[in-house]
Amino acid sequence: MIQVGLFGASGYTGFELVKLLHRHPEVALRFITSRSQAGQSLAHLYPAGPDLPLIAPENAPLTDVDLVFLCLPHAAGAPTAVAALEAGARVVDLSADFRLKSAADYTHWYGVEHPAPNLLPEALYGLSEFVRDQLPDARLVANPGCYPTSILLALQPALAVGAAGGAIIADAKSGVSGAGRLPRQNTHFVEVAGNFSPYNIGRSHRHLPEMEQAMAQWSKSAPPLIFSPHLLPVPRGILSTVYMPLKKGWSEPTLRTLYEEIYSSEPFIRVLPAGELATLAHVVNSNRCVIGLSVAAETLILTSAIDNLVKGAAGQAVQNMNLMFGFEEQTGLV
Amino acid sequence: MIQVGLFGASGYTGFELVKLLHRHPEVALRFITSRSQAGQSLAHLYPAGPDLPLIAPENAPLTDVDLVFLCLPHAAGAPTAVAALEAGARVVDLSADFRLKSAADYTHWYGVEHPAPNLLPEALYGLSEFVRDQLPDARLVANPGCYPTSILLALQPALAVGAAGGAIIADAKSGVSGAGRLPRQNTHFVEVAGNFSPYNIGRSHRHLPEMEQAMAQWSKSAPPLIFSPHLLPVPRGILSTVYMPLKKGWSEPTLRTLYEEIYSSEPFIRVLPAGELATLAHVVNSNRCVIGLSVAAETLILTSAIDNLVKGAAGQAVQNMNLMFGFEEQTGLV
Amino acid sequence: MIQVGLFGASGYTGFELVKLLHRHPEVALRFITSRSQAGQSLAHLYPAGPDLPLIAPENAPLTDVDLVFLCLPHAAGAPTAVAALEAGARVVDLSADFRLKSAADYTHWYGVEHPAPNLLPEALYGLSEFVRDQLPDARLVANPGCYPTSILLALQPALAVGAAGGAIIADAKSGVSGAGRLPRQNTHFVEVAGNFSPYNIGRSHRHLPEMEQAMAQWSKSAPPLIFSPHLLPVPRGILSTVYMPLKKGWSEPTLRTLYEEIYSSEPFIRVLPAGELATLAHVVNSNRCVIGLSVAAETLILTSAIDNLVKGAAGQAVQNMNLMFGFEEQTGLV
Amino acid sequence: MIQVGLFGASGYTGFELVKLLHRHPEVALRFITSRSQAGQSLAHLYPAGPDLPLIAPENAPLTDVDLVFLCLPHAAGAPTAVAALEAGARVVDLSADFRLKSAADYTHWYGVEHPAPNLLPEALYGLSEFVRDQLPDARLVANPGCYPTSILLALQPALAVGAAGGAIIADAKSGVSGAGRLPRQNTHFVEVAGNFSPYNIGRSHRHLPEMEQAMAQWSKSAPPLIFSPHLLPVPRGILSTVYMPLKKGWSEPTLRTLYEEIYSSEPFIRVLPAGELATLAHVVNSNRCVIGLSVAAETLILTSAIDNLVKGAAGQAVQNMNLMFGFEEQTGLV
């Protein structure tokens, strides 16, 4: 049993994480914070939410907890990360602050100075399946972005083995919760219902550098990534359709065998049988990632689905916590 | 051909009205205003919208137009109404400002002093079908609310004939555009999709006094109204299910004959055949009101459907304009 | 630990029940059947479903189980109920077959002879909260309909105390899963999305007699019920808005106290605080029923929400099983 | 004014076409047919539909009409096309029967012998913008498929000029009406709402050969096409995101100029300004195609949106009719 605190409980990711932690058998949830809603119960914001008090972040007892989750906007959480680490707590940060290794890249993509660049070397990019050995010793984990989780899990086996023969295209579609709980014109029901919209396509979305950084770690000659996010009229879920031009010699059966070998023992990843494609219905409300695989015109086509709030955020954060503290990896997750 | 101006074109009602006026063969749309979006094209706000410039309201040439439509929040439009009337234009106000005859009632329900109480006696409550004779001479028309339009058109025949034997219940359900274009937590896609919520039920919604005022005009002994609005996860449309306890002697055939007599020549109202019920699919994107009628347990059950943005707002405003200026009533409407 | 079998696992209710039983700590799920899909895995029908084999109903080993759940169409399940009881198993029937006490009423409403009228006297109408004492001894439980569950739980306290002063109106709205999994024109996505439709309103829906039968048990002078179901464009959830004219002397505070007393210790029922209204968001994916309460124009207005597939079907069936076999009532439910 | 008949009015495409023809100023709609619904009014099937009688196809007076539209399943319409041509009428076929020039290809993709192979040489593939000169003399027009319309209009300028440097990927997303009105499991509201699903991806969808045939006409060295359709939880609209690897020397400004030149005078095609992306909201309920264009990683990224029932079917059919009979191209269309 560990003592846990959570900063930023009022947003969709924070709320999802509270629900997971609240029922986790190894976790005592000591506090949850919200700057704007301090003093309220979480049940006041979410009709089906647990009746837990939201406290102001400055009142959070950092020294009482073993682990802190940060569900704050980028640049807002890093100072809390610093304070938590100083108080002796470990940190899983769900913002983008510790994902990029280069402070300069961070500034380029996020438009602000990095608030704690000295922590960047230590931060572990927590795509759970590929850093399982490092998590037990990690003090600071950068939880991956939602799109990157769906795309990187799909790409890794083929990329690491050097199958990619040209620019990779990730055509990704996300439910609206990915845009956050703050109401905006583009998340108004009337604008979204019946509509479907691409945004920040090509090489302009902030999740791009995070993906290319991971790709470069897996392959010395990783090709460029074209990443096209779209807004789906559903509350949650991401489906990424990923196209990788193949070098000569790679066939669907060979690749299928490769994927099955790499992922067969993974509790949360499922490679679909030939002919089956990933859909949101496979994964919503679970920590699963399902991956479909086929080849056409010498191109590997991957369909990869996750729930953006679970495997794409809160669920993976819990999975990382489980691995950090030596709990069984699936504890508290479905 | 008349010269027309519109204040408040950026909201859902304003935009709907621009679309109707833009293609109306008897209208020259001289200006459309938006305080927050002045200088932009309407096409910038609405991808499918016409490329018309939004001007600041203070720059609107009031003296150039025959008619002004006001699609402004309550209390915001009344001063413009005054100015327009002084400039010689006629006015159709789509806000609530001129619907209630009593300035005290207005203050009670809307929480502010009435901005132009001296105009209240003159204002005509523009439920088109029942003020057709007065519209040609009206200078100032208060366009009815969306819920009241759907409920009053359903109630009128039975109420005016004295069939009501007890409190009337209007259980109404509206699409999200009725809540306006300004993004709010309760119109966020993630909050609305998959959900369904009552609000302001009983005798607490601002549309209640407007309905009881009309009911009192039609029947000296009108019973009280219980009005329960609900938010539907659809962009547009209102369906009201209305329950009227009947005095002895009223049967379904008698009432059906009554409704058919009153509405048979109405271009926009359709009384459904026995056994058929009103649905949103009957009316969305049209100025129609369809009404279903049945009797059970000595209670008249009416189902009444309109498009809240058309017959419940912009469409009825155009219908009123057509009648005010002597155009054929259906001109520019479907 | 008990041995359990389930007939009719391929429909929405059956699938929901499989999910609940599959993770229930006191249940060994011995078999699940499907006539049309026998030989398939349940995961073949539902992407997120467990990989359990569907067997033909005639191959079900009735003598091996302590309890059988029937998720079959009306009239189809009764013979299996007979066979299961003869084999020594207890039965929870989720169809309508054993809800009405009168075989003649059954024939009137369902259009067929009752398949096992001699079992009707024994069958217990399993609205869990009001038959808790009888469930431990029940051999045959008729699980209530989804609409009746939401409406009866809302009505019971006021009705049983004699507060009703006239015809009660239940204006109910249900998600599409209530219409079953078999594709029909009226459940086609294009027909439902953006639409909202009443159906079988007044006194014509098959759930009416079931409700009036329960009402008569609770009150010698129960008034008639007017019941108006509507189809909501959401996958799951029922919200019923119920109007009960009050006899003199009943105020909102008195009624609130009454409801809170009756329901305060119920694990799955929550009476909302004054001013709060029930919504689908309170209950979807849970076994909860939330009830809001207010009074206007001498009428009690109740808003009552459940998940039609959980408290309205599979969840209440598990709740009944828990009570029948002496397990803690909340086991396996949220 | 021409005399027109329509076969297959009960499906979504047929109904959309009836609505367009019913209000078209140059058309007298002489008959509409439905095999399954003959004898009914169209208003019986569609609550907002016009009250027009559906007749059995064998009763259609072919000799009375100048033009016949066929909205029938593939292989079902070709015999009617033969009969209509023999009776002296011209034909616009909205099925796939006359799109492929090769009867062998037709058999390969559609699994049946072509019903009228001798008509294939004459049939004109009616992508209106590119066969404007041939339409006035065409007797038999094969109306393009919905996906091909959105993708081919996006590809044509860059493809015809030889800019494509490798396999083209069309990641396309369609609303549910594209799957037809016949209820199926995969169009059940509960299966579609909240979900998003790819299907027939790669090189397996029947629209692929139709697109590659057109591509080959425009470019001697057209690269292969990878085509991945997805089912969107919206009633109508297609958005295709198309990726074309570019040969050296092609930049975004050059390509933008090219697209603007080719499409600037097109009444129904709009090339969006730099930075703007196509969305369904641009096009739903109109005959427009909007195209966004950008370049990243030496790849042209096109976003192309149409309404699948209008520009993707009924609207383009009317556009073709207008051009066949010398009416102004935009008549009856928005």
Short mmCIF file of all heavy atoms in Angstrom, two decimals, chain D residues 154-199:
data_model
loop_
_atom_site.label_atom_id
_atom_site.label_comp_id
_atom_site.label_asym_id
_atom_site.label_seq_id
_atom_site.Cartn_x
_atom_site.Cartn_y
_atom_site.Cartn_z
N ALA D 154 -9.77 15.48 -55.46
CA ALA D 154 -8.57 15.95 -54.77
C ALA D 154 -7.30 15.63 -55.54
O ALA D 154 -6.37 16.42 -55.62
CB ALA D 154 -8.52 15.34 -53.37
N LEU D 155 -7.26 14.45 -56.14
CA LEU D 155 -6.02 13.99 -56.79
C LEU D 155 -5.79 14.60 -58.17
O LEU D 155 -4.64 14.78 -58.58
CB LEU D 155 -6.08 12.47 -56.98
CG LEU D 155 -5.81 11.58 -55.79
CD1 LEU D 155 -5.91 10.12 -56.22
CD2 LEU D 155 -4.41 11.86 -55.22
N GLN D 156 -6.84 14.85 -58.91
CA GLN D 156 -6.70 15.08 -60.34
C GLN D 156 -5.61 16.11 -60.74
O GLN D 156 -4.73 15.79 -61.53
CB GLN D 156 -8.05 15.46 -60.97
CG GLN D 156 -8.15 15.17 -62.45
CD GLN D 156 -7.56 16.28 -63.32
OE1 GLN D 156 -7.31 17.39 -62.85
NE2 GLN D 156 -7.32 15.97 -64.59
N PRO D 157 -5.66 17.33 -60.18
CA PRO D 157 -4.68 18.31 -60.67
C PRO D 157 -3.23 17.85 -60.49
O PRO D 157 -2.43 17.92 -61.44
CB PRO D 157 -4.99 19.55 -59.83
CG PRO D 157 -6.45 19.40 -59.47
CD PRO D 157 -6.62 17.93 -59.24
N ALA D 158 -2.89 17.35 -59.31
CA ALA D 158 -1.50 16.95 -59.08
C ALA D 158 -1.15 15.70 -59.87
O ALA D 158 -0.02 15.55 -60.35
CB ALA D 158 -1.27 16.73 -57.59
N LEU D 159 -2.10 14.82 -60.00
CA LEU D 159 -1.83 13.58 -60.71
C LEU D 159 -1.64 13.83 -62.21
O LEU D 159 -0.70 13.32 -62.83
CB LEU D 159 -2.99 12.60 -60.48
CG LEU D 159 -2.74 11.18 -60.94
CD1 LEU D 159 -1.80 10.48 -59.98
CD2 LEU D 159 -4.06 10.42 -61.03
N ALA D 160 -2.53 14.62 -62.78
CA ALA D 160 -2.48 14.85 -64.23
C ALA D 160 -1.22 15.57 -64.64
O ALA D 160 -0.74 15.42 -65.75
CB ALA D 160 -3.73 15.63 -64.67
N VAL D 161 -0.67 16.35 -63.71
CA VAL D 161 0.54 17.10 -64.03
C VAL D 161 1.80 16.29 -63.75
O VAL D 161 2.92 16.74 -63.98
CB VAL D 161 0.51 18.45 -63.26
CG1 VAL D 161 0.92 18.25 -61.81
CG2 VAL D 161 1.32 19.52 -63.95
N GLY D 162 1.59 15.09 -63.25
CA GLY D 162 2.74 14.20 -63.06
C GLY D 162 3.52 14.42 -61.79
O GLY D 162 4.70 14.09 -61.70
N ALA D 163 2.90 14.97 -60.77
CA ALA D 163 3.63 15.27 -59.54
C ALA D 163 3.82 14.06 -58.63
O ALA D 163 4.65 14.10 -57.72
CB ALA D 163 2.89 16.38 -58.76
N ALA D 164 3.05 13.01 -58.86
CA ALA D 164 3.08 11.87 -57.93
C ALA D 164 4.37 11.08 -58.06
O ALA D 164 4.73 10.65 -59.16
CB ALA D 164 1.88 10.96 -58.16
N GLY D 165 5.03 10.88 -56.93
CA GLY D 165 6.30 10.18 -56.95
C GLY D 165 6.27 8.82 -56.28
O GLY D 165 7.32 8.23 -56.07
N GLY D 166 5.11 8.32 -55.94
CA GLY D 166 5.04 7.02 -55.26
C GLY D 166 3.61 6.69 -54.91
O GLY D 166 2.69 7.45 -55.24
N ALA D 167 3.44 5.57 -54.26
CA ALA D 167 2.09 5.10 -53.93
C ALA D 167 1.30 6.17 -53.19
O ALA D 167 1.82 6.82 -52.28
CB ALA D 167 2.16 3.83 -53.08
N ILE D 168 0.07 6.34 -53.61
CA ILE D 168 -0.82 7.34 -53.01
C ILE D 168 -1.68 6.66 -51.96
O ILE D 168 -2.15 5.53 -52.18
CB ILE D 168 -1.69 7.98 -54.11
CG1 ILE D 168 -0.80 8.79 -55.06
CG2 ILE D 168 -2.78 8.85 -53.50
CD1 ILE D 168 -1.50 9.22 -56.33
N ILE D 169 -1.85 7.33 -50.85
CA ILE D 169 -2.69 6.78 -49.78
C ILE D 169 -3.91 7.67 -49.61
O ILE D 169 -3.79 8.88 -49.45
CB ILE D 169 -1.89 6.72 -48.46
CG1 ILE D 169 -0.80 5.65 -48.57
CG2 ILE D 169 -2.81 6.45 -47.28
CD1 ILE D 169 0.22 5.71 -47.47
N ALA D 170 -5.09 7.05 -49.64
CA ALA D 170 -6.33 7.79 -49.39
C ALA D 170 -6.97 7.19 -48.14
O ALA D 170 -7.50 6.08 -48.18
CB ALA D 170 -7.27 7.70 -50.58
N ASP D 171 -6.85 7.93 -47.06
CA ASP D 171 -7.45 7.50 -45.79
C ASP D 171 -8.79 8.22 -45.69
O ASP D 171 -8.85 9.42 -45.44
CB ASP D 171 -6.51 7.89 -44.64
CG ASP D 171 -6.90 7.22 -43.34
OD1 ASP D 171 -7.88 7.70 -42.71
OD2 ASP D 171 -6.27 6.24 -42.94
N ALA D 172 -9.88 7.48 -45.91
CA ALA D 172 -11.19 8.11 -46.10
C ALA D 172 -12.15 7.70 -44.99
O ALA D 172 -12.06 6.61 -44.44
CB ALA D 172 -11.77 7.70 -47.45
N LYS D 173 -13.04 8.63 -44.63
CA LYS D 173 -13.96 8.41 -43.53
C LYS D 173 -15.35 8.81 -44.01
O LYS D 173 -15.56 9.93 -44.45
CB LYS D 173 -13.57 9.27 -42.33
CG LYS D 173 -12.15 9.04 -41.80
CD LYS D 173 -11.10 9.91 -42.50
CE LYS D 173 -9.72 9.75 -41.89
NZ LYS D 173 -8.67 10.48 -42.69
N SER D 174 -16.31 7.89 -43.85
CA SER D 174 -17.65 8.15 -44.38
C SER D 174 -18.72 8.01 -43.31
O SER D 174 -18.65 7.15 -42.44
CB SER D 174 -17.98 7.16 -45.50
OG SER D 174 -19.34 7.28 -45.88
N GLY D 175 -19.73 8.85 -43.41
CA GLY D 175 -20.92 8.72 -42.58
C GLY D 175 -21.70 7.47 -42.92
O GLY D 175 -21.50 6.84 -43.97
N VAL D 176 -22.64 7.11 -42.04
CA VAL D 176 -23.28 5.80 -42.08
C VAL D 176 -24.26 5.65 -43.25
O VAL D 176 -24.53 4.55 -43.71
CB VAL D 176 -23.96 5.51 -40.73
CG1 VAL D 176 -24.57 4.12 -40.71
CG2 VAL D 176 -22.95 5.63 -39.59
N SER D 177 -24.79 6.77 -43.75
CA SER D 177 -25.74 6.63 -44.86
C SER D 177 -25.07 5.98 -46.07
O SER D 177 -25.76 5.39 -46.91
CB SER D 177 -26.34 7.98 -45.23
OG SER D 177 -25.33 8.90 -45.58
N GLY D 178 -23.76 6.06 -46.15
CA GLY D 178 -23.04 5.39 -47.23
C GLY D 178 -23.21 3.88 -47.22
O GLY D 178 -23.01 3.23 -48.25
N ALA D 179 -23.60 3.33 -46.08
CA ALA D 179 -23.78 1.88 -45.99
C ALA D 179 -25.19 1.45 -46.37
O ALA D 179 -25.51 0.26 -46.32
CB ALA D 179 -23.46 1.40 -44.57
N GLY D 180 -26.03 2.39 -46.75
CA GLY D 180 -27.37 2.04 -47.20
C GLY D 180 -28.39 2.02 -46.09
O GLY D 180 -28.06 2.03 -44.91
N ARG D 181 -29.67 1.98 -46.51
CA ARG D 181 -30.78 2.09 -45.57
C ARG D 181 -31.19 0.77 -44.97
O ARG D 181 -31.80 0.72 -43.89
CB ARG D 181 -31.97 2.72 -46.30
CG ARG D 181 -33.17 2.98 -45.40
CD ARG D 181 -34.23 3.82 -46.10
NE ARG D 181 -35.38 4.00 -45.26
CZ ARG D 181 -36.47 3.22 -45.30
NH1 ARG D 181 -36.53 2.21 -46.15
NH2 ARG D 181 -37.48 3.44 -44.47
N LEU D 182 -30.84 -0.33 -45.62
CA LEU D 182 -31.20 -1.65 -45.10
C LEU D 182 -30.51 -1.84 -43.75
O LEU D 182 -29.30 -1.70 -43.64
CB LEU D 182 -30.72 -2.73 -46.07
CG LEU D 182 -31.31 -4.12 -45.85
CD1 LEU D 182 -32.77 -4.15 -46.27
CD2 LEU D 182 -30.52 -5.16 -46.63
N PRO D 183 -31.28 -2.14 -42.68
CA PRO D 183 -30.63 -2.24 -41.38
C PRO D 183 -29.72 -3.47 -41.30
O PRO D 183 -30.11 -4.56 -41.70
CB PRO D 183 -31.80 -2.37 -40.40
CG PRO D 183 -33.04 -2.49 -41.18
CD PRO D 183 -32.73 -2.34 -42.63
N ARG D 184 -28.55 -3.27 -40.80
CA ARG D 184 -27.57 -4.34 -40.60
C ARG D 184 -26.94 -4.17 -39.23
O ARG D 184 -27.01 -3.10 -38.63
CB ARG D 184 -26.49 -4.26 -41.68
CG ARG D 184 -26.91 -4.93 -42.97
CD ARG D 184 -25.73 -5.03 -43.92
NE ARG D 184 -25.64 -3.80 -44.70
CZ ARG D 184 -25.84 -3.73 -46.01
NH1 ARG D 184 -26.13 -4.81 -46.69
NH2 ARG D 184 -25.73 -2.58 -46.64
N GLN D 185 -26.29 -5.24 -38.77
CA GLN D 185 -25.67 -5.13 -37.45
C GLN D 185 -24.71 -3.95 -37.37
O GLN D 185 -24.70 -3.21 -36.40
CB GLN D 185 -24.93 -6.44 -37.12
CG GLN D 185 -24.74 -6.65 -35.63
CD GLN D 185 -26.07 -6.76 -34.90
OE1 GLN D 185 -26.92 -7.55 -35.24
NE2 GLN D 185 -26.25 -5.92 -33.89
N ASN D 186 -23.93 -3.76 -38.43
CA ASN D 186 -22.90 -2.71 -38.35
C ASN D 186 -23.45 -1.31 -38.57
O ASN D 186 -22.69 -0.34 -38.51
CB ASN D 186 -21.75 -3.00 -39.32
CG ASN D 186 -22.20 -2.87 -40.77
OD1 ASN D 186 -23.39 -2.92 -41.07
ND2 ASN D 186 -21.25 -2.70 -41.66
N THR D 187 -24.75 -1.18 -38.81
CA THR D 187 -25.34 0.16 -38.86
C THR D 187 -26.32 0.39 -37.70
O THR D 187 -26.99 1.42 -37.66
CB THR D 187 -26.06 0.43 -40.19
OG1 THR D 187 -27.09 -0.56 -40.36
CG2 THR D 187 -25.12 0.37 -41.37
N HIS D 188 -26.41 -0.58 -36.79
CA HIS D 188 -27.24 -0.41 -35.59
C HIS D 188 -26.67 0.76 -34.77
O HIS D 188 -25.46 0.88 -34.59
CB HIS D 188 -27.17 -1.70 -34.77
CG HIS D 188 -28.19 -1.80 -33.68
ND1 HIS D 188 -28.25 -0.92 -32.63
CD2 HIS D 188 -29.19 -2.70 -33.45
CE1 HIS D 188 -29.25 -1.27 -31.82
NE2 HIS D 188 -29.82 -2.34 -32.30
N PHE D 189 -27.55 1.60 -34.29
CA PHE D 189 -27.10 2.79 -33.55
C PHE D 189 -26.13 2.43 -32.43
O PHE D 189 -25.11 3.11 -32.22
CB PHE D 189 -28.30 3.55 -32.98
CG PHE D 189 -27.91 4.80 -32.22
CD1 PHE D 189 -27.69 5.99 -32.90
CD2 PHE D 189 -27.73 4.79 -30.85
CE1 PHE D 189 -27.31 7.14 -32.22
CE2 PHE D 189 -27.35 5.93 -30.16
CZ PHE D 189 -27.14 7.11 -30.86
N VAL D 190 -26.44 1.36 -31.71
CA VAL D 190 -25.61 1.01 -30.55
C VAL D 190 -24.21 0.58 -30.97
O VAL D 190 -23.24 0.77 -30.23
CB VAL D 190 -26.30 -0.08 -29.71
CG1 VAL D 190 -25.42 -0.56 -28.57
CG2 VAL D 190 -27.63 0.45 -29.16
N GLU D 191 -24.08 0.02 -32.16
CA GLU D 191 -22.76 -0.40 -32.64
C GLU D 191 -21.94 0.78 -33.16
O GLU D 191 -20.72 0.76 -33.13
CB GLU D 191 -22.90 -1.43 -33.78
CG GLU D 191 -23.88 -2.56 -33.52
CD GLU D 191 -23.38 -3.55 -32.49
OE1 GLU D 191 -22.17 -3.85 -32.48
OE2 GLU D 191 -24.20 -4.02 -31.67
N VAL D 192 -22.63 1.79 -33.66
CA VAL D 192 -21.94 2.88 -34.34
C VAL D 192 -21.62 4.04 -33.39
O VAL D 192 -20.53 4.60 -33.42
CB VAL D 192 -22.79 3.40 -35.52
CG1 VAL D 192 -22.15 4.63 -36.15
CG2 VAL D 192 -22.98 2.30 -36.56
N ALA D 193 -22.58 4.37 -32.53
CA ALA D 193 -22.39 5.53 -31.65
C ALA D 193 -21.18 5.30 -30.75
O ALA D 193 -21.07 4.25 -30.11
CB ALA D 193 -23.65 5.77 -30.82
N GLY D 194 -20.30 6.25 -30.67
CA GLY D 194 -19.12 6.12 -29.84
C GLY D 194 -18.03 5.24 -30.43
O GLY D 194 -16.99 5.05 -29.82
N ASN D 195 -18.26 4.71 -31.61
CA ASN D 195 -17.29 3.83 -32.24
C ASN D 195 -16.71 4.49 -33.48
O ASN D 195 -17.20 5.53 -33.95
CB ASN D 195 -17.98 2.49 -32.61
CG ASN D 195 -16.98 1.37 -32.87
OD1 ASN D 195 -15.77 1.54 -32.73
ND2 ASN D 195 -17.50 0.22 -33.24
N PHE D 196 -15.68 3.88 -34.02
CA PHE D 196 -15.06 4.32 -35.28
C PHE D 196 -14.31 3.11 -35.79
O PHE D 196 -13.55 2.50 -35.06
CB PHE D 196 -14.12 5.51 -35.03
CG PHE D 196 -13.42 6.01 -36.26
CD1 PHE D 196 -14.14 6.62 -37.27
CD2 PHE D 196 -12.05 5.87 -36.42
CE1 PHE D 196 -13.51 7.08 -38.42
CE2 PHE D 196 -11.41 6.33 -37.56
CZ PHE D 196 -12.14 6.94 -38.56
N SER D 197 -14.55 2.75 -37.06
CA SER D 197 -14.06 1.46 -37.55
C SER D 197 -13.52 1.55 -38.97
O SER D 197 -14.24 2.01 -39.86
CB SER D 197 -15.21 0.43 -37.62
OG SER D 197 -16.10 0.56 -36.56
N PRO D 198 -12.33 1.07 -39.19
CA PRO D 198 -11.87 0.88 -40.57
C PRO D 198 -12.49 -0.39 -41.15
O PRO D 198 -12.93 -1.27 -40.41
CB PRO D 198 -10.36 0.71 -40.41
CG PRO D 198 -10.15 0.24 -39.01
CD PRO D 198 -11.33 0.67 -38.19
N TYR D 199 -12.56 -0.45 -42.47
CA TYR D 199 -13.05 -1.69 -43.12
C TYR D 199 -12.49 -1.74 -44.53
O TYR D 199 -12.29 -0.71 -45.17
CB TYR D 199 -14.58 -1.75 -43.13
CG TYR D 199 -15.27 -0.65 -43.91
CD1 TYR D 199 -15.76 -0.88 -45.20
CD2 TYR D 199 -15.43 0.62 -43.36
CE1 TYR D 199 -16.38 0.13 -45.92
CE2 TYR D 199 -16.05 1.62 -44.08
CZ TYR D 199 -16.52 1.38 -45.35
OH TYR D 199 -17.13 2.38 -46.07
#
